[in-house]
Amino acid sequence: MATKLHAEPELRVRERTPILKRSGMTLQEVLAGILANPPLGNSELPIAALAYNSRNVANGTLFFAIRGEKTDGNLFVLDAIERGAAAICSEMAQPWGPEWQTLYAKAARAPQTREIPAHVAWVRIDDARKAMALAAANFYRRPAEALQLVGITGTNGKTTTSYLVDSILRAAGRTTGLSGTISYRTPSAKVDASTTTPESLDLQKFLGEVRDAGGDAAVMEASSHALAMDRLWGLHFDVAIFTNLTRDHLDYHKTFDDYFAAKRRLFEGVGKGKAATGVTNTDDPYGTQLCGVAARTITYGLTNGAQIITKNYEITFAGLKFSAQTPAGKIDIESPLMGKINVYNILAAIGAGIALEIPNQTIAQGIAALKSVPGRFERVDCGQPFLVIVDYAHTDDALKNLLATAKEISRGGRIITLFGCGGDRDRTKRPLMGEAAGRASDLVILTSDNPRSEDPLLIINDALVGLQRTRTPYKVEADREKALALALDEARAGDIMLLAGKGHETYQVLKDRTIDFDDRKMAANILRERGYEK
């Protein structure tokens, strides 16, 4: 009979948790608050590490057999044991009954029949993902209880908003961690991000490193995948921010309602009760549905009714300038960030600052201190007489926002847009991206963007369906490096060149390999070859 997963008590400890060494933890201690019944085997086994990938298993590891999108961790139980696993946590009963034979048959693999060694404990659980999240919190001595947590969800704007909130917190003298699409940064180190929101085990390790380095707050992007997969389970958010919801990731979520439901979970709570304060964009119809979901709600937007609002904002080459009316009084904003989309991002960050009771002047200082965000409307300046902008826009809505920002700062020149669509991702957004680029550009260069296992030309054909509806002139070049050179050769004085899709990324994922590729460096090299040098 499967053991049951207990709901965690809704306890929030504000005092800093003492930093303790992880040595000497037993299986029972790691699983505290998770199991209603003891595991099959020795519950006093010492546990030295946790893992969900069998390749990371070493002696004394508790291995979580997680069912993933592409494979099932239960297929790697024997591999984990051979590498030294002391215990296995699985949603399946101990091998090798009929359900195991069915699993191997579906995976087209030979059935395994070797017995599990007597010294290896077997932990059966109803939900292995939630169990792993709670066990990881135990293993790293509940680091989130020493931190104020701010989570940001939405289709677009998560990264910039997270950087703004982090900058506000640091202006207030806080010591922070930042987790998102670009990198995972603790007070003492930074590494490139592999996913927007890491697996729960990795996330708890990250939070532990933030705490152990003297941190008292963490800001993190919360992707819909991560929320649906319970990577944030067991965390309590002091602030949950919603930016907007537009079409994306329907290859995974299948329906828009399911996509929104995943985002909503950040406000409803992920195992520790509702978020303390929800900050939501009420100019977005989905944002209005989040009012009242968290324990407290702060709304923002550009239309009447929002609690944090601005009616007049100035956009120049120098950035943004406006006054925000808030429940805490007026806040005068000056920011080097550009475009209407960043007005929304700044208003969201102001909401977080107010929720965390940060003074208005400090909020303004933190916003002004953020000069740029990697790969978000980032300039490539080699002294050329036209503007070159690199941006991560990889949905139709993000392209619309990018092009709208370009038009807002344009001085009469053309807008030339280079973009591609990712392979092995939602095909339905490709024609929408093509149409979005064509509607607001004077010339479009269609190319590749991480084609992965798909044929780049077939991906391009999907985007062409929408682009050709607009009758905008376009050129096709599947090789992204050649496409960049072609685009830059087209640019004339006063034009704005938009290199969309890859943003901060420094690689290109092809069918058989991943290569070094950075739009920013590549564009700068080509411009220097053309004789430009600042």
Side-chain angles (χ1 to χ4, degrees), residues 166-496:
D166 178 75
S167 188
I168 290 170
L169 284 165
R170 288 197 283 169
R174 307 292 296 277
T175 303
T176 65
L178 179 64
S179 168
T181 305
I182 297 175
S183 64
Y184 309 143
R185 193 206 73 221
T186 72
S188 58
K190 182 174 75 170
V191 297
D192 291 340
S194 56
T195 57
T196 297
T197 311
E199 271 291 357
S200 60
L201 195 160
D202 304 311
L203 181 59
Q204 290 290 345
K205 182 175 184 289
F206 162 78
L207 294 173
E209 290 172 352
V210 173
R211 174 200 60 195
D212 294 353
D216 55 19
V219 182
M220 63 185 76
E221 296 181 50
S223 71
S224 58
H225 287 76
L227 288 161
M229 294 178 181
D230 291 314
R231 293 179 186 172
L232 297 102
W233 188 257
L235 298 179
H236 180 272
F237 285 89
D238 294 273
V239 182
I241 298 174
F242 173 79
T243 59
N244 50 66
L245 199 74
T246 61
R247 190 181 188 89
D248 201 11
H249 303 307
L250 295 190
D251 53 324
Y252 175 79
H253 296 288
K254 307 307 179 188
T255 71
F256 213 82
D257 286 343
D258 287 345
Y259 182 35
F260 175 60
K263 301 290 190 185
R264 183 185 176 100
R265 292 186 71 185
L266 184 67
F267 286 66
E268 293 172 331
V270 282
K272 281 269 187 120
K274 295 179 178 181
T277 302
V279 178
T280 184
N281 173 12
T282 49
D283 286 356
D284 186 298
Y286 286 94
T288 61
Q289 294 183 42
L290 293 173
C291 292
V293 175
R296 172 195 180 196
T297 297
I298 297 175
T299 61
Y300 71 92
L302 301 181
T303 57
N304 290 329
Q307 293 170 282
I308 301 174
I309 190 170
T310 184
K311 290 296 186 69
N312 300 303
Y313 52 90
E314 182 182 349
I315 300 175
T316 69
F317 274 137
L320 292 166
K321 187 175 182 179
F322 62 87
S323 290
Q325 304 301 322
T326 84
K330 187 178 76 168
I331 302 178
D332 293 323
I333 297 298
E334 290 190 27
S335 168
L337 304 182
M338 294 185 182
K340 181 179 179 180
I341 184 62
N342 279 318
V343 177
Y344 277 104
N345 294 335
I346 289 169
L347 294 177
I350 290 172
I354 290 172
L356 296 172
E357 299 182 351
I358 296 173
N360 289 358
Q361 184 178 357
T362 305
I363 291 173
Q365 289 172 349
I367 291 168
L370 181 65
K371 303 304 180 187
S372 64
V373 179
R376 272 60 177 177
F377 213 83
E378 185 174 355
R379 298 187 193 192
V380 178
D381 188 0
C382 292
Q384 75 276 4
F386 49 88
L387 195 60
V388 177
I389 299 294
V390 173
D391 194 89
Y392 191 55
H394 59 282
T395 67
D396 57 303
D397 189 66
L399 276 174
K400 291 174 186 176
N401 289 330
L402 174 63
L403 286 156
T405 299
K407 284 189 176 295
E408 286 166 348
I409 65 172
S410 174
R411 296 176 177 173
R414 298 177 303 162
I415 296 177
I416 302 171
T417 303
L418 177 147
F419 85 101
C421 302
D424 299 336
R425 297 295 186 268
D426 184 5
R427 286 188 61 187
T428 62
K429 71 179 182 180
R430 294 172 186 172
L432 300 176
M433 290 175 66
E435 186 169 359
R439 293 288 179 207
S441 302
D442 297 289
L443 173 66
V444 173
I445 310 295
L446 194 49
T447 186
S448 296
D449 180 348
N450 295 334
R452 299 181 179 87
S453 70
E454 290 192 66
D455 183 333
L457 290 177
L458 294 180
I459 297 173
I460 287 171
N461 284 339
D462 285 343
L464 273 174
V465 172
L467 178 56
Q468 289 174 338
R469 294 178 190 141
T470 68
R471 300 180 183 270
T472 296
Y474 67 87
K475 296 185 178 183
V476 172
E477 174 51 69
D479 184 299
R480 194 171 180 99
E481 182 176 356
K482 292 179 180 178
L484 283 171
L486 176 63
L488 292 169
D489 284 343
E490 288 284 343
R492 302 290 180 264
D495 289 348
I496 298 178

